[in-house]
Amino acid sequence: MIGIFGGTFDPVHFGHLRPALEVQQMLGLQQVRFIPSGHPPHREMPRASASQRLAMLRAAIDEQPGFVLDEREIRRQGPSYMVDTLLSLREELGETPLCLILGYDAFLNLPDWYRWEQLIELSHIVVTHRPGWLLTEYRANPELVDLLEQHQQSLSQLGRQQAGGVVFVPVTQLEISATSIRRQIRDGESIRYLLPDSVIEIIEKQHIYR
Ligand code: ATP
């Protein structure tokens, strides 16, 4: 099974890295592919350039076995739709089960994603719990209630199919966001221990987020 972890990673931080590692271990994933979005369709353009975000991610995951940087969304023209990303991965990887890893906040917005109903045909969806979000919040959205009624599974079932399951996984709760890291840099505060030193070094050398 291969994990797919998309985001703006502006910058990547321990709130991305630790949950990704825990999901990798819990599900026995051969790989977790970090896929930074080129042109995120649902938000403003990232503050750091694509090449800076790639450099920061590369530095963060370099030494971790199974963590892989996947540049396909950055290289593609136009908005970075996850459905296109999964279609291209499916073409490349054949029948390998794919697991799209989403924080709970991202999961709550899923019905707004382009052709979102197709995502579950192409991969499993693995939802990690994120601080500050009630686990019952999805019930306000009938589309998510339907999705879970039809697709929620136990962890052990996932590997049996290439796609089609939704699971919730508990991960260590780390109240870290890229937004707050960018704010702290602007305010001249230390960002140490929120993200890897190798990433901080790049931010400082290149004066990103100043
Ligand atoms: P921003 O503050 O700029 O919105 P972010 O820190 O939320 O950024 P993204 O790159 O937008 O990071 O998030 C990518 C994915 O990582 C999403 O699925 C999101 O839910 C998840 N994620 C981000 N931060 C955390 C965290 N602290 N704990 C668990 N999941 C997280």
Side-chain angles (χ1 to χ4, degrees):
M1 287 205 287
I2 291 185
I4 315 295
F5 194 17
T8 41
F9 303 113
D10 187 25
V12 61
H13 53 70
F14 289 138
H16 301 125
L17 296 165
R18 180 67 207 177
L21 177 64
E22 291 182 2
V23 169
Q24 181 190 25
Q25 295 185 126
M26 242 180 297
L27 274 63
L29 303 176
Q30 299 144 249
Q31 263 186 11
V32 177
R33 290 189 178 227
F34 289 77
I35 311 190
S37 58
H39 310 271
H42 303 286
R43 51 188 290 164
E44 20 178 291
M45 276 304 282
R47 294 281 312 281
S49 68
S51 65
Q52 287 170 328
R53 289 182 294 126
L54 284 173
M56 293 189 282
L57 258 173
R58 206 174 283 123
I61 67 177
D62 198 26
E63 311 247 299
Q64 180 54 40
F67 277 18
V68 174
L69 180 58
D70 185 320
E71 303 185 16
R72 73 188 65 218
E73 290 195 358
I74 300 259
R75 297 190 182 289
R76 210 163 57 211
Q77 297 293 315
S80 303
Y81 293 125
M82 184 49 79
V83 67
D84 295 332
T85 301
L86 292 180
L87 281 165
S88 78
L89 283 164
R90 186 46 81 206
E91 207 163 281
E92 208 176 294
L93 300 169
E95 296 181 357
T96 313
L98 300 177
C99 297
L100 177 63
I101 303 168
L102 297 175
Y104 191 60
D105 59 318
F107 175 70
L108 290 179
N109 287 325
L110 199 63
D112 295 336
W113 291 21
Y114 180 62
R115 297 198 339 238
W116 79 280
E117 279 140 324
Q118 217 182 328
L119 300 173
I120 192 71
E121 294 165 14
L122 293 163
S123 76
H124 298 300
I125 295 177
V126 175
V127 186
T128 62
H129 183 38
R130 192 161 179 191
W133 299 84
L134 286 177
L135 266 181
T136 49
E137 219 151 329
Y138 77 85
R139 291 188 195 146
N141 188 329
E143 293 180 295
L144 290 178
V145 174
D146 274 358
L147 177 76
L148 288 175
E149 261 171 27
Q150 290 175 41
H151 295 280
Q152 193 166 7
Q153 292 185 355
S154 66
L155 275 190
S156 57
Q157 287 175 290
L158 277 196
R160 296 190 202 146
Q161 291 169 321
Q162 327 172 4
V166 179
V167 294
F168 284 84
V169 293
V171 293
T172 301
Q173 300 293 290
L174 296 165
E175 179 68 88
I176 302 172
S177 74
T179 303
S180 84
I181 290 174
R182 294 193 301 270
R183 184 196 54 74
Q184 291 177 77
I185 295 171
R186 265 201 319 275
D187 293 350
E189 292 167 18
S190 172
I191 53 170
R192 195 136 194 235
Y193 308 131
L194 295 172
L195 63 174
D197 287 340
S198 54
V199 177
I200 297 181
E201 207 173 294
I202 293 173
I203 293 174
E204 286 176 352
K205 270 207 187 117
Q206 302 192 20
H207 307 288
I208 314 176
Y209 311 119
R210 286 271 166 209

